[in-house]
């Protein structure tokens, strides 16, 4: 019999008893107690999967999160039997399973405890709903910090918090509002310098308690499904992040234009207004690549239609905008208007594609168009149909789609009632199991359609709701935020958190969606967003007529806003390289300080500072009227971006914050590639690539990735990876380069700009050839600048 210890309105809690039998098959092990089975699967040396069949029967092993490309690659593993435990070992880990209660202790090879069950797995009948609540509790280790969980608008370190995943249309959310839009049941633990992660792959409502209810316990549970989690060992947190994306996948490279600046509003209409906005960008010479059409472009909010009065010639409009370098992204919601005259409704009805209630009636609810029905995206046939609907949008010239309201949001009801039925790829489940993947699968189907019809071009997608793994096909934004300074802070924590939760391609509505920012707040927000992978202004200023464009706050602010958007474009090669690192290795593009300096406990609770890629450290200006800001720099040497002043890390430094600057540091030794100024991506072929090299005495590696910025040639090897290594001394500057080149760039030369050289060179030696430097090469700002052929391999400058 299972041991029953406590009871509540849900019924007694059940705990596994002692192990009666065990078996090993391939890379998995099963342990049998009287009723419960534990399956442990060695996925890789550092990734172990735990699954529990509470009462002896496993459910279908099926996941919407895991990537098809996930490979189980255990190398060395085995089992040992001890008196009180079994031990499964790999090259990196030792997993102990207690014989008398299945409790787990995981240590590293040296026996240092990484993670340990408190009560471990236990379960409880969910009497009201006829299922089981699946729990797992772990001991909180001394000094342990917790990170991850997607978009939670709260401090980065989650210690002492309790949070849940249940996709919610959280209009005007505030600090600590929970749950929000996304469902990412993945967290990190960090203690004694050791980092690990736990991904609880369960689509029911999941709850995580990081020592809130009981200080010494970290527990997570779901109101149904199976206790099914992956334990991921680092010890580096960044390595955990990378392994998590080995399980849940990484994206393809986005079109380069999607990394440019996006302008959005609810809504720009009619077409003449859209053109005016576009023209204004070009007239004022403020770079921009993307304009969005929110719900008003449609005919009565019917998806896949155009309002004939406001947009009589959508293809013509899009073509005209394209000629000026703009791409158009349109919104598509899941609610399909109940209208017998409307083709999408007719087709869906005819084929039984819409969600139904338990009694067979259609799931109907009000959203923007009025009464709507909702496709059941959990049905693969419906997903194919949905994908096919994007043909006409793609043919019209639309290059990206924005999926919204897909928590799913329903006015008044909030979301679907629990009895709504879903196919769940053949399983037939209630909404309790499908809620958290509704928007996930909508966006998956949208992405598949757009990719197919835009071939050979790359497409772009942004979604509001999703589950773990959606990074494979979509970007996200943080939802309906507010024009306030607190929300500027929320934007920084949310984007950092999303990035370490697998979803780097993220941004917030710049300036705030609800309310009206003043020029200062808008400018500070633009500054932060310059360093967010997705940079989009959006506002709900439809009714008030308030304008939220870069020029809306007067010339002084416009100038600074323009300076930062321009900087964004200059940094595109660096940003694209950072995206490539993410796409190939899963490395988060935004890295909280705890993730880059995990041995340094001061870094563990930093929320303002983060790394953007390998070389840039950002801290945003977080208060109105702020004249200076204290910034914590992790160990190492740093340059202040705006004046090349050198700083030593492992300390807090204070920098002035006039409106036109924000705290921005470059890691000493780094190479920061930059484009010349441009108004939009691919405006003209780039004929010179700048390499800003920051003198450093520790060996630092940097890279530059390049490809066509569109199409899929890169998948056939048409790209360049250029690797730099700088290791200089006070007597000698030394930069080495290695490369894989298989893509023809328009530029043939690099302009090298060396910052912070501690001596004045007279000669530069490029691949052994001496060139005398003239006064022209020695800049007033103390940089040394010269042009070299793209094929150079080594640069040396000596102190004489
Ligand atoms: C939702 C979205 C918002 C959009 C609005 C109208 O509130 O979150 O971004 O503008 O709907 O479509």
């Amino acid at each position: 019999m299972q041991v029953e210890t406590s009871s509540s309105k849900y019924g007694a809690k059940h705990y596994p008893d002692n192990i009666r039998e065990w078996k090993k098959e391939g890379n998995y092990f099963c342990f049998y107690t009287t009723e419960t089975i534990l399956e442990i699967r060695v996925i890789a040396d550092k990734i172990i999967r735990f699954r529990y069949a509470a009462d002896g029967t496993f459910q279908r092993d099926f996941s919407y999160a895991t990537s098809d490309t996930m490979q189980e690659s255990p190398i060395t593993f085995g089992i040992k039997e001890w008196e009180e435990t079994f031990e499964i070992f790999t090259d990196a880990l030792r997993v102990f399973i207690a014989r008398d209660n299945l409790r787990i202790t995981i240590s590293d090879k040296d026996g240092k405890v990484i993670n340990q069950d408190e009560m471990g797995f236990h379960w409880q009948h969910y009497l009201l709903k006829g299922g089981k609540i699946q729990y797992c509790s772990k001991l909180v280790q001394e000094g342990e910090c917790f990170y991850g969980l997607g978009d939670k608008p709260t401090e980065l370190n989650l210690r002492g918090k309790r949070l849940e995943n249940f996709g919610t249309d959280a209009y005007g959310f505030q600090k600590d509002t929970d749950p929000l839009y996304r469902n990412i049941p993945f967290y990190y633990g960090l203690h004694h310098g050791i980092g690990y992660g736990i991904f609880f792959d369960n689509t029911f409502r999941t709850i995580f308690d990081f020592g809130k209810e009981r200080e010494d316990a970290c527990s997570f549970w779901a109101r149904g499904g199976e206790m099914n989690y992956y334990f991921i060992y680092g010890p580096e947190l960044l390595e955990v992040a990378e392994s998590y994306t080995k399980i849940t996948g990484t994206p393809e490279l986005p079109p380069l234009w999607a990394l440019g600046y996006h302008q959005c509003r609810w809504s720009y209409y009619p077409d003449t207004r859209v053109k005016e906005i576009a023209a204004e960008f070009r007239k004022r010479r403020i770079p921009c690549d993307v304009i969005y059409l929110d719900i008003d472009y449609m005919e009565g909010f019917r998806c896949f239609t155009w309002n004939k009065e406001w947009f009589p010639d959508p293809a013509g409009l899009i073509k005209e905008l394209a000629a000026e370098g703009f791409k158009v992204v349109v919104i598509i919601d899941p609610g399909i208007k109940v209208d017998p005259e409307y083709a999408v409704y007719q087709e869906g009805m005819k084929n039984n594609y819409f969600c139904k209630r338990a009694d067979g009636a259609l799931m109907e609810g009000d959203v923007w168009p009025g009464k709507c029905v909702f496709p059941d995206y959990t049905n693969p046939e419906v997903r194919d149909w949905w994908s096919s609907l994007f043909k006409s949008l793609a043919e019209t010239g639309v290059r990206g789609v924005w999926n919204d309201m897909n928590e799913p949001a329903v006015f008044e009801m909030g979301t679907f009632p629990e009895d709504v039925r879903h196919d769940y790829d053949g399983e037939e489940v209630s909404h309790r199991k499908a809620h958290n993947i509704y928007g996930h699968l909508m966006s998956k189907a949208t992405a598949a359609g757009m990719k197919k019809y835009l071939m050979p071009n790359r497409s772009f997608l942004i979604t509001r709701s999703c589950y773990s793994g959606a990074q494979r096909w979509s970007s996200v934004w943080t939802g309906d935020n507010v024009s306030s300074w607190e929300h500027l802070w929320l934007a920084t924590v949310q984007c950092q958190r999303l990035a370490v939760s697998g979803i780097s391609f993220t941004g917030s509505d710049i300036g705030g969606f609800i309310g009206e920012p003043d020029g200062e707040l808008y400018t500070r927000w633009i500054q932060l967003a310059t360093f967010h992978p997705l940079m989009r202004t959006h506002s709900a200023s439809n009714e008030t007529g308030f304008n939220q464009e870069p020029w809306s706050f007067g010339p002084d602010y416009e100038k600074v806003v323009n300076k930062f958007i321009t900087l964004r474009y200059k940094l595109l090669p660096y940003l694209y390289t950072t995206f490539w690192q993410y796409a190939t290795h899963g490395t988060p593009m935004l890295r909280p300080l705890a993730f880059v300096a995990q041995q340094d406990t001061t870094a563990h609770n930093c929320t303002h500072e983060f790394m953007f890629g390998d070389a840039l450290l950002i801290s945003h200006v977080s208060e109105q009227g702020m004249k200076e800001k204290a910034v914590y720099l992790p160990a190492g040497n740093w340059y202040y971006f705006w004046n090349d002043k050198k700083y030593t890390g492992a300390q807090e430094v204070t920098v002035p914050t006039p409106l036109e600057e924000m705290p921005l540091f470059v890691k000493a030794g780094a190479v920061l590639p930059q484009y010349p100024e441009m108004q939009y991506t691919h405006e003209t072929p780039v004929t010179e690539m700048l390499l800003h090299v920051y003198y450093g005495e520790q060996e630092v590696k940097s890279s530059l990735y390049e490809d066509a910025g569109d199409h899929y040639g890169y998948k056939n090897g048409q790209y360049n990876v250029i690797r730099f290594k700088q290791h200089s001394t006070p007597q000698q500057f030394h930069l080495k380069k290695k490369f894989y080149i298989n893509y023809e760039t328009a530029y043939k030369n690099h302009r090298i700009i060396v910052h912070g050289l501690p001596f004045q060179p007279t000669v530069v030696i490029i691949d052994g050839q001496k060139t005398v430097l003239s006064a022209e090469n020695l800049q007033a700002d103390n940089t040394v600048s010269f042009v070299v052929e793209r094929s150079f391999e080594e640069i040396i400058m000596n102190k004489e």
Side-chain angles (χ1 to χ4, degrees), residues 169 171 181 264-267 294-296 331 333 368 402 404-405 407 464 477 479-480 509 513 536 538-540:
D169 176 8
Y171 178 84
Y181 306 90
C264 186
R265 174 192 171 92
W266 177 15
S267 304
D294 203 332
I295 48 175
D296 297 287
I331 197 166
D333 291 345
W368 307 120
W402 169 20
D404 188 24
M405 306 293 277
E407 291 70 31
R464 200 169 71 175
W477 86 106
D480 293 344
D509 284 351
F513 176 68
R536 180 182 87 153
H538 182 37
S539 66

Side-chain angles (χ1 to χ4, degrees), residues 40-52:
I40 299 185
R41 195 178 275 249
V42 182
I43 307 284
D45 287 350
K46 294 184 172 184
I47 307 177
I48 312 282
R49 182 177 171 200
F50 295 84
R51 270 178 91 196
Y52 295 82

Side-chain angles (χ1 to χ4, degrees), residues 475-646:
S475 67
V476 305
W477 86 106
T478 59
D480 293 344
N481 61 359
V482 180
S483 305
S484 71
W485 288 89
E486 183 174 67
H487 267 270
L488 181 60
W489 179 81
L490 289 180
T492 189
V493 290
Q494 288 187 286
C495 291
Q496 290 179 61
R497 192 194 309 288
L498 279 160
V500 297
S501 304
I503 308 179
S504 279
F505 202 4
T506 176
S508 65
D509 284 351
I510 298 171
F513 176 68
I514 301 158
E516 301 176 1
D518 61 13
E520 185 184 356
L521 177 59
Y522 182 75
T523 306
R524 293 308 195 184
W525 212 312
I526 279 278
Q527 291 176 344
L528 172 65
T530 301
F531 304 99
H532 281 165
L534 182 83
M535 187 181 189
R536 180 182 87 153
T537 292
H538 182 37
S539 66
S541 35
N542 223 18
E543 278 163 20
T544 57
F546 181 75
N547 292 322
Q548 202 158 304
E549 286 93 31
W551 53 84
S552 306
F553 305 92
D556 293 346
Y557 292 112
E558 178 183 335
K559 201 166 139 219
V560 183
V561 167
N562 196 353
K563 169 178 165 175
F564 276 82
I565 300 180
T566 301
L567 174 63
R568 164 83 171 197
Y569 279 77
K570 289 198 215 165
L571 289 173
L572 275 177
Y574 173 73
L575 175 50
Y576 196 54
T577 301
T578 304
F579 206 114
W580 164 77
Q581 287 179 330
Y582 166 52
T584 46
H585 305 297
T587 323
M589 298 176 70
L590 306 177
R591 303 168 198 163
L593 283 205
F595 282 63
V596 292
Q598 72 186 50
Q599 304 298 337
D600 174 355
T601 49
T602 312
H604 294 179
N605 290 303
C606 289
T607 52
H608 285 228
E609 294 88 5
F610 63 93
M611 293 288 296
F612 176 63
D614 292 335
L616 294 178
L617 186 141
I618 284 92
S619 177
H620 70 108
V621 176
S622 49
E623 283 165 31
Q624 186 166 28
M626 202 176 214
K627 296 272 180 296
E628 56 178 32
K629 188 169 188 203
V631 179
Y632 184 72
L633 296 177
N637 294 311
W638 302 88
Y639 286 82
Y640 199 51
F641 181 82
W642 308 107
N643 60 13
D644 284 355
K645 195 172 159 197
K646 293 182 187 178

Side-chain angles (χ1 to χ4, degrees), residues 155-170:
E155 283 76 13
L156 277 175
N157 179 358
L158 300 172
R159 176 87 181 253
K161 315 238 176 223
R162 181 189 189 127
L163 298 147
E164 63 185 276
N165 291 311
F166 186 74
T168 302
D169 176 8

Side-chain angles (χ1 to χ4, degrees), residues 171-214:
Y171 178 84
F173 63 91
Q174 293 298 333
K175 178 169 186 289
D176 292 320
T177 299
D178 189 51
L180 284 198
Y181 306 90
R182 278 150 289 269
N183 316 297
I184 314 292
F186 167 56
Y187 75 89
Y188 297 81
L190 170 66
H191 61 87
H192 303 97
I194 307 173
Y196 68 89
I198 286 189
F199 170 42
F200 179 23
D201 188 7
N202 181 312
T203 62
F204 281 82
R205 186 189 284 256
T206 46
I207 296 147
F208 290 77
D209 190 302
F210 300 100
K212 179 163 202 261
E213 194 175 299
R214 286 176 293 129

Side-chain angles (χ1 to χ4, degrees), residues 222-284:
R223 296 193 184 155
E226 217 168 63
M227 178 48 62
N228 166 28
Y229 71 87
Y230 294 79
F231 172 84
I232 308 166
Y233 174 50
E236 300 300 318
L237 290 172
L238 282 181
E239 203 184 331
V240 177
E242 292 175 352
S243 293
Y244 169 73
T245 57
K246 288 205 176 79
I247 301 169
T248 58
T250 50
E252 295 184 322
L253 284 168
L256 188 63
W257 58 261
L259 299 181
Y261 174 71
H262 302 216
Q263 182 66 39
C264 186
R265 174 192 171 92
W266 177 15
S267 304
Y268 289 124
Y269 70 92
D271 53 356
T272 47
R273 178 73 185 134
V274 181
K275 288 190 224 176
E276 263 169 38
I277 292 291
E280 205 62 33
F281 273 99
R282 296 298 177 247
K283 189 180 106 199
R284 293 172 185 268

Side-chain angles (χ1 to χ4, degrees), residues 401-528:
V401 173
W402 169 20
N403 280 167
D404 188 24
M405 306 293 277
N406 53 4
E407 291 70 31
V410 184
F411 297 159
E412 286 168 15
M413 299 160 104
T415 189
F416 292 0
E418 290 187 344
D419 70 286
V420 168
R421 293 296 188 246
H422 296 272
D423 179 73
Y424 210 92
D425 279 63
E427 196 174 315
E428 296 193 2
V429 304
S430 82
H431 193 62
R432 294 200 307 116
K433 184 161 185 176
H435 179 84
N436 279 350
I437 42 83
Y438 189 82
H440 184 77
L441 295 173
M442 177 202 189
S443 62
K444 185 176 187 185
T446 303
M450 286 302 281
K451 184 171 178 182
K452 178 169 171 194
Y453 300 114
L454 282 180
M455 216 32 114
N457 295 314
R458 299 181 199 164
S459 62
F460 166 76
L461 176 64
I462 178 168
T463 183
R464 200 169 71 175
S465 189
C466 65
Y467 182 68
S468 291
Q471 69 268 10
R472 302 203 292 278
W473 55 76
S474 190
S475 67
V476 305
W477 86 106
T478 59
D480 293 344
N481 61 359
V482 180
S483 305
S484 71
W485 288 89
E486 183 174 67
H487 267 270
L488 181 60
W489 179 81
L490 289 180
T492 189
V493 290
Q494 288 187 286
C495 291
Q496 290 179 61
R497 192 194 309 288
L498 279 160
V500 297
S501 304
I503 308 179
S504 279
F505 202 4
T506 176
S508 65
D509 284 351
I510 298 171
F513 176 68
I514 301 158
E516 301 176 1
D518 61 13
E520 185 184 356
L521 177 59
Y522 182 75
T523 306
R524 293 308 195 184
W525 212 312
I526 279 278
Q527 291 176 344
L528 172 65

